Amino acid sequence: MGGLLSLASVGLKPAQDKQVELDTKKKILGAVMDISSIKEPNELLALYDQKVQSLVVDYNGNVVTQDAKGNPVVAEKVSIQKNYRLAAEDRLYPVFKFMNDQDPSKVEAYIFPMFGSGLWDWISGYLAVGSDLNTIRGVAFDHKQETPGLGARITSDVVQERFEGKELYNDNDELVSVKMVKGEGNPNLTAHEVDGMSGATLTGKGVNEMMVNYLTCYQGYIKKVKANGSSVAVN
């Protein structure tokens, strides 16, 4: 019986890998554009290949092309969840660049994956920022088992759209990230604040911590791009 189960697992792996690839690319694109009208997997994968370039960097912002064993490193195959177990300085950090249609050498947005802890289990996200590396274009959050109707709302369009147009840096070019504040319908929110989720304060806190933690880890790369232009972002 064990042998049959093992064979079945091996036989299913290509299909499972394909689904993981599709889900990953769907989330990356979904952070920066509306893909609700795309129903066919092949259409989505073709759009991804047309619009997205990727690379992997280390904590200091240096491009990484091989792992410690000399194997090629592919951004789409880097497990953010597994890397999360490592010290921040030892992780690999994928970067996905959303390119301009008219000028394929021009970056429209940078998309950064991130991972953290919610109320009950893990949460994750893809954060898309414009070419200024400051203004948020969109986010795509996910979770394992946040409370239905409360913390699980981080995956809803209503909550995710609150981040669009918000800014990561203050006027002194200091990273402050964007914070979900307590409650909803808050007046006079700043460029660095969005409404929280009523009844899900701890999930919102997890999102806040995840964003600032990973944005801090991407600072080496972001500073190099700002200093040197997009050339550092092309491997």
Side-chain angles (χ1 to χ4, degrees), residues 108-124:
E108 281 190 19
Y110 296 86
I111 304 162
F112 303 114
M114 48 192 60
F115 196 88
S117 299
L119 174 58
W120 301 110
D121 213 309
W122 60 259
I123 56 176
S124 63

Side-chain angles (χ1 to χ4, degrees), residues 9-67:
S9 177
V10 172
L12 288 171
K13 192 173 188 307
Q16 292 170 339
D17 290 346
K18 191 70 174 179
Q19 188 60 49
V20 169
E21 177 191 9
L22 181 64
D23 289 345
T24 298
K25 293 181 176 180
K26 183 177 181 180
K27 290 173 184 175
I28 293 168
L29 287 173
V32 74
M33 65 180 296
D34 181 6
I35 57 172
S36 60
S37 63
I38 302 176
K39 306 302 180 184
E40 293 296 325
N42 288 339
E43 183 182 355
L44 186 139
L45 293 175
L47 177 63
Y48 184 92
D49 289 342
Q50 174 190 344
K51 294 288 296 180
V52 179
Q53 295 180 16
S54 62
L55 68 155
V56 179
V57 299
D58 62 17
Y59 185 82
N60 296 313
N62 301 311
V63 175
V64 178
T65 58
Q66 295 182 332
D67 63 18

Side-chain angles (χ1 to χ4, degrees), residues 185-205:
N186 293 284
N188 304 318
L189 292 171
T190 72
H192 312 294
E193 296 175 327
V194 297
D195 274 332
M197 299 171 290
S198 297
T201 301
L202 292 179
T203 301
K205 181 180 178 181

